[in-house]
mmCIF file with all atom_site columns, all heavy atoms in Angstrom:
data_model
loop_
_atom_site.group_PDB
_atom_site.id
_atom_site.type_symbol
_atom_site.label_atom_id
_atom_site.label_alt_id
_atom_site.label_comp_id
_atom_site.label_asym_id
_atom_site.label_entity_id
_atom_site.label_seq_id
_atom_site.pdbx_PDB_ins_code
_atom_site.Cartn_x
_atom_site.Cartn_y
_atom_site.Cartn_z
_atom_site.occupancy
_atom_site.B_iso_or_equiv
_atom_site.pdbx_formal_charge
_atom_site.auth_seq_id
_atom_site.auth_comp_id
_atom_site.auth_asym_id
_atom_site.auth_atom_id
_atom_site.pdbx_PDB_model_num
ATOM 1  N N   . ASP B 1 104 ? 9.443  30.917 40.481 1.00 0.00 ? 104 ASP B N   1
ATOM 2  C CA  . ASP B 1 104 ? 8.121  31.393 40.054 1.00 0.00 ? 104 ASP B CA  1
ATOM 3  C C   . ASP B 1 104 ? 8.157  31.575 38.542 1.00 0.00 ? 104 ASP B C   1
ATOM 4  O O   . ASP B 1 104 ? 8.641  32.577 38.025 1.00 0.00 ? 104 ASP B O   1
ATOM 5  C CB  . ASP B 1 104 ? 7.805  32.719 40.764 1.00 0.00 ? 104 ASP B CB  1
ATOM 6  C CG  . ASP B 1 104 ? 6.454  33.272 40.357 1.00 0.00 ? 104 ASP B CG  1
ATOM 7  O OD1 . ASP B 1 104 ? 5.713  32.572 39.641 1.00 0.00 ? 104 ASP B OD1 1
ATOM 8  O OD2 . ASP B 1 104 ? 6.140  34.408 40.759 1.00 0.00 ? 104 ASP B OD2 1
ATOM 9  N N   . ILE B 1 105 ? 7.638  30.593 37.801 1.00 0.00 ? 105 ILE B N   1
ATOM 10 C CA  . ILE B 1 105 ? 7.757  30.620 36.350 1.00 0.00 ? 105 ILE B CA  1
ATOM 11 C C   . ILE B 1 105 ? 6.955  31.765 35.733 1.00 0.00 ? 105 ILE B C   1
ATOM 12 O O   . ILE B 1 105 ? 7.265  32.205 34.632 1.00 0.00 ? 105 ILE B O   1
ATOM 13 C CB  . ILE B 1 105 ? 7.328  29.280 35.721 1.00 0.00 ? 105 ILE B CB  1
ATOM 14 C CG1 . ILE B 1 105 ? 5.871  28.956 36.092 1.00 0.00 ? 105 ILE B CG1 1
ATOM 15 C CG2 . ILE B 1 105 ? 8.267  28.177 36.148 1.00 0.00 ? 105 ILE B CG2 1
ATOM 16 C CD1 . ILE B 1 105 ? 5.343  27.753 35.339 1.00 0.00 ? 105 ILE B CD1 1
ATOM 17 N N   . SER B 1 106 ? 5.931  32.242 36.446 1.00 0.00 ? 106 SER B N   1
ATOM 18 C CA  . SER B 1 106 ? 5.144  33.347 35.911 1.00 0.00 ? 106 SER B CA  1
ATOM 19 C C   . SER B 1 106 ? 5.940  34.640 35.859 1.00 0.00 ? 106 SER B C   1
ATOM 20 O O   . SER B 1 106 ? 5.549  35.601 35.199 1.00 0.00 ? 106 SER B O   1
ATOM 21 C CB  . SER B 1 106 ? 3.876  33.561 36.745 1.00 0.00 ? 106 SER B CB  1
ATOM 22 O OG  . SER B 1 106 ? 4.195  33.947 38.067 1.00 0.00 ? 106 SER B OG  1
ATOM 23 N N   . ALA B 1 107 ? 7.086  34.675 36.551 1.00 0.00 ? 107 ALA B N   1
ATOM 24 C CA  . ALA B 1 107 ? 7.928  35.879 36.587 1.00 0.00 ? 107 ALA B CA  1
ATOM 25 C C   . ALA B 1 107 ? 8.990  35.876 35.477 1.00 0.00 ? 107 ALA B C   1
ATOM 26 O O   . ALA B 1 107 ? 9.701  36.854 35.313 1.00 0.00 ? 107 ALA B O   1
ATOM 27 C CB  . ALA B 1 107 ? 8.613  35.999 37.944 1.00 0.00 ? 107 ALA B CB  1
ATOM 28 N N   . LEU B 1 108 ? 9.096  34.761 34.712 1.00 0.00 ? 108 LEU B N   1
ATOM 29 C CA  . LEU B 1 108 ? 10.137 34.648 33.702 1.00 0.00 ? 108 LEU B CA  1
ATOM 30 C C   . LEU B 1 108 ? 9.704  35.294 32.392 1.00 0.00 ? 108 LEU B C   1
ATOM 31 O O   . LEU B 1 108 ? 8.568  35.122 31.949 1.00 0.00 ? 108 LEU B O   1
ATOM 32 C CB  . LEU B 1 108 ? 10.485 33.183 33.457 1.00 0.00 ? 108 LEU B CB  1
ATOM 33 C CG  . LEU B 1 108 ? 10.912 32.369 34.676 1.00 0.00 ? 108 LEU B CG  1
ATOM 34 C CD1 . LEU B 1 108 ? 11.228 30.933 34.264 1.00 0.00 ? 108 LEU B CD1 1
ATOM 35 C CD2 . LEU B 1 108 ? 12.101 33.007 35.366 1.00 0.00 ? 108 LEU B CD2 1
ATOM 36 N N   . THR B 1 109 ? 10.613 36.032 31.769 1.00 0.00 ? 109 THR B N   1
ATOM 37 C CA  . THR B 1 109 ? 10.337 36.658 30.481 1.00 0.00 ? 109 THR B CA  1
ATOM 38 C C   . THR B 1 109 ? 11.517 36.435 29.537 1.00 0.00 ? 109 THR B C   1
ATOM 39 O O   . THR B 1 109 ? 12.629 36.121 29.983 1.00 0.00 ? 109 THR B O   1
ATOM 40 C CB  . THR B 1 109 ? 10.089 38.165 30.622 1.00 0.00 ? 109 THR B CB  1
ATOM 41 O OG1 . THR B 1 109 ? 11.275 38.794 31.155 1.00 0.00 ? 109 THR B OG1 1
ATOM 42 C CG2 . THR B 1 109 ? 8.918  38.439 31.567 1.00 0.00 ? 109 THR B CG2 1
ATOM 43 N N   . GLY B 1 110 ? 11.287 36.639 28.255 1.00 0.00 ? 110 GLY B N   1
ATOM 44 C CA  . GLY B 1 110 ? 12.335 36.483 27.258 1.00 0.00 ? 110 GLY B CA  1
ATOM 45 C C   . GLY B 1 110 ? 11.791 35.800 26.015 1.00 0.00 ? 110 GLY B C   1
ATOM 46 O O   . GLY B 1 110 ? 10.613 35.430 25.929 1.00 0.00 ? 110 GLY B O   1
ATOM 47 N N   . ASN B 1 111 ? 12.657 35.627 25.037 1.00 0.00 ? 111 ASN B N   1
ATOM 48 C CA  . ASN B 1 111 ? 12.287 35.002 23.765 1.00 0.00 ? 111 ASN B CA  1
ATOM 49 C C   . ASN B 1 111 ? 13.115 33.736 23.558 1.00 0.00 ? 111 ASN B C   1
ATOM 50 O O   . ASN B 1 111 ? 14.339 33.766 23.696 1.00 0.00 ? 111 ASN B O   1
ATOM 51 C CB  . ASN B 1 111 ? 12.530 35.965 22.605 1.00 0.00 ? 111 ASN B CB  1
ATOM 52 C CG  . ASN B 1 111 ? 11.687 37.228 22.741 1.00 0.00 ? 111 ASN B CG  1
ATOM 53 O OD1 . ASN B 1 111 ? 10.461 37.160 22.841 1.00 0.00 ? 111 ASN B OD1 1
ATOM 54 N ND2 . ASN B 1 111 ? 12.331 38.392 22.765 1.00 0.00 ? 111 ASN B ND2 1
ATOM 55 N N   . LEU B 1 112 ? 12.434 32.647 23.236 1.00 0.00 ? 112 LEU B N   1
ATOM 56 C CA  . LEU B 1 112 ? 13.043 31.328 23.163 1.00 0.00 ? 112 LEU B CA  1
ATOM 57 C C   . LEU B 1 112 ? 13.005 30.783 21.739 1.00 0.00 ? 112 LEU B C   1
ATOM 58 O O   . LEU B 1 112 ? 11.995 30.888 21.053 1.00 0.00 ? 112 LEU B O   1
ATOM 59 C CB  . LEU B 1 112 ? 12.300 30.373 24.103 1.00 0.00 ? 112 LEU B CB  1
ATOM 60 C CG  . LEU B 1 112 ? 12.659 28.898 24.060 1.00 0.00 ? 112 LEU B CG  1
ATOM 61 C CD1 . LEU B 1 112 ? 14.028 28.681 24.701 1.00 0.00 ? 112 LEU B CD1 1
ATOM 62 C CD2 . LEU B 1 112 ? 11.619 28.072 24.809 1.00 0.00 ? 112 LEU B CD2 1
ATOM 63 N N   . SER B 1 113 ? 14.133 30.207 21.308 1.00 0.00 ? 113 SER B N   1
ATOM 64 C CA  . SER B 1 113 ? 14.193 29.496 20.035 1.00 0.00 ? 113 SER B CA  1
ATOM 65 C C   . SER B 1 113 ? 14.930 28.184 20.260 1.00 0.00 ? 113 SER B C   1
ATOM 66 O O   . SER B 1 113 ? 16.002 28.176 20.878 1.00 0.00 ? 113 SER B O   1
ATOM 67 C CB  . SER B 1 113 ? 14.930 30.317 18.958 1.00 0.00 ? 113 SER B CB  1
ATOM 68 O OG  . SER B 1 113 ? 14.276 31.544 18.721 1.00 0.00 ? 113 SER B OG  1
ATOM 69 N N   . LEU B 1 114 ? 14.364 27.074 19.770 1.00 0.00 ? 114 LEU B N   1
ATOM 70 C CA  . LEU B 1 114 ? 15.017 25.783 20.007 1.00 0.00 ? 114 LEU B CA  1
ATOM 71 C C   . LEU B 1 114 ? 14.752 24.816 18.858 1.00 0.00 ? 114 LEU B C   1
ATOM 72 O O   . LEU B 1 114 ? 13.804 24.987 18.084 1.00 0.00 ? 114 LEU B O   1
ATOM 73 C CB  . LEU B 1 114 ? 14.568 25.176 21.336 1.00 0.00 ? 114 LEU B CB  1
ATOM 74 C CG  . LEU B 1 114 ? 13.096 24.773 21.504 1.00 0.00 ? 114 LEU B CG  1
ATOM 75 C CD1 . LEU B 1 114 ? 12.812 23.390 20.939 1.00 0.00 ? 114 LEU B CD1 1
ATOM 76 C CD2 . LEU B 1 114 ? 12.717 24.793 22.990 1.00 0.00 ? 114 LEU B CD2 1
ATOM 77 N N   . SER B 1 115 ? 15.619 23.811 18.786 1.00 0.00 ? 115 SER B N   1
ATOM 78 C CA  . SER B 1 115 ? 15.468 22.702 17.842 1.00 0.00 ? 115 SER B CA  1
ATOM 79 C C   . SER B 1 115 ? 15.385 21.409 18.630 1.00 0.00 ? 115 SER B C   1
ATOM 80 O O   . SER B 1 115 ? 16.126 21.212 19.604 1.00 0.00 ? 115 SER B O   1
ATOM 81 C CB  . SER B 1 115 ? 16.635 22.638 16.860 1.00 0.00 ? 115 SER B CB  1
ATOM 82 O OG  . SER B 1 115 ? 16.674 23.797 16.050 1.00 0.00 ? 115 SER B OG  1
#
Side-chain angles (χ1 to χ4, degrees):
D104 179 7
I105 59 172
S106 64
L108 303 181
T109 62
N111 299 303
L112 172 72
S113 300
L114 64 84
S115 296

